[in-house]
Amino acid sequence: SRAWQKVSMLITMKIKRLFLSTIFAMLLAPLAFATTVVTMVGDANYKPFIYDEQGVAKGKYVDIVSQAFELMPDYELRWQMMPWQEGLDAVKNGNAFAIVPPYYRPNERPWISPYSEPLYTEDFVVVCNNTAMSQPRNYFPNDYLGLTFTGDTGNTAGNPFSVLVKEGKIKLIESDSSMNNLEMVSSGQADCYTNNSILVDNLMIDMPSLSKGLVIKKVSSENAHVGFAKNSSKFPYKNDFIQKFNAALKQVKEHASK
């Protein structure tokens, strides 16, 4: 009957509309939930704070940054782990957006700007052999003039230590291996080594024989940050991301302190 035909046509039209609405919604869904992938460069060899273990980023700073990203639904985190100096060069050249975990060095690294809220405060220590400590050395670094230091590449005690190195009043030998640097001090090839206290403690645990004949003294504290590339032409989301990341990072730290 004609009445049935009209009913059938109405049902068909409604089905078509529903189908088209569903397809339209499915097409819009990815746009509504689209996220921006942000790649963080991480130091591949800075245990226990951040390191590469068989292609997986691990460590205290990895956990902190990951927790902050969980509070930022607009962004997705990816890690690119590499040697520290290589990572710094990538940021300097504008090829990397952010690096974890530089200390605040605005004069030495003007191409990092800005820095995030602090991730954590590290205690910095100087480790010297008994020969180097045969005379009083109460004030760092002024009491250590004329000595040879080892240090992890791109990660030393900062000013005024760096100034004395540039002036030639302290000799600095850098390498990517913390263990090698400490072994050089232990064997007498160098006088002292500087790094954070937790890393040094872990080195001593891994190789207890190194601790014999070495003197450890705390000399300073340093805040570790996420450092962002000043050259942000490839990263149009920079300002929005930094604002949201710092807010999320504060929440993570407040929760951890409770």
Side-chain angles (χ1 to χ4, degrees), residues 6-143:
K6 288 182 178 180
V7 172
S8 178
M9 288 178 62
L10 287 171
I11 293 174
T12 301
M13 290 175 64
K14 287 183 177 181
I15 291 174
K16 286 182 177 178
R17 287 174 182 172
L18 179 61
F19 176 75
L20 291 173
S21 298
T22 303
I23 294 298
F24 188 65
M26 291 174 66
L27 291 172
L28 288 179
L31 297 177
F33 297 99
T35 58
T36 300
V37 176
V38 173
T39 300
M40 292 272 183
V41 170
D43 188 342
N45 186 33
Y46 193 48
K47 287 186 176 181
F49 295 105
I50 183 168
Y51 57 98
D52 186 323
E53 185 171 279
Q54 298 181 341
V56 179
K58 292 188 176 182
K60 183 181 183 71
Y61 296 150
V62 172
D63 294 341
I64 293 173
V65 171
S66 298
Q67 289 169 27
F69 266 80
E70 290 176 3
L71 303 175
M72 302 165 60
D74 296 340
Y75 293 95
E76 178 183 343
L77 171 63
R78 289 186 185 170
W79 286 102
Q80 185 177 7
M81 308 300 285
M82 60 180 67
W84 182 239
Q85 190 59 53
E86 185 178 332
L88 290 174
D89 290 341
V91 173
K92 183 178 182 179
N93 297 330
N95 295 322
F97 172 58
I99 186 168
V100 182
Y103 302 134
Y104 186 66
R105 300 279 193 272
N107 295 326
E108 294 176 42
R109 300 168 183 159
W111 30 268
I112 293 182
S113 180
Y115 290 78
S116 73
E117 290 284 323
L119 298 172
Y120 180 76
T121 302
E122 301 177 16
D123 289 333
F124 231 82
V125 298
V126 59
V127 186
C128 300
N129 56 42
N130 283 331
T131 302
M133 299 302 287
S134 60
Q135 65 184 72
R137 301 190 188 276
N138 299 318
Y139 301 101
F140 180 85
N142 291 337
D143 284 351

Side-chain angles (χ1 to χ4, degrees), residues 123-126 139-141 144 157 194-195 217-221:
D123 289 333
F124 231 82
V125 298
V126 59
Y139 301 101
F140 180 85
Y144 293 77
T194 61
N195 214 318
K217 297 182 68 172
K218 177 182 174 181
V219 293
S220 66
S221 295

Side-chain angles (χ1 to χ4, degrees), residues 127-131 150 179-193 204 207-214:
V127 186
C128 300
N129 56 42
N130 283 331
T131 302
T150 58
M179 183 66 74
N180 179 66
N181 287 329
L182 195 56
E183 287 177 337
M184 288 183 66
V185 175
S186 179
S187 66
Q189 295 174 270
D191 300 304
C192 303
Y193 169 63
M204 298 296 191
M207 291 192 67
S209 60
L210 287 180
S211 62
K212 296 178 181 179
L214 296 181

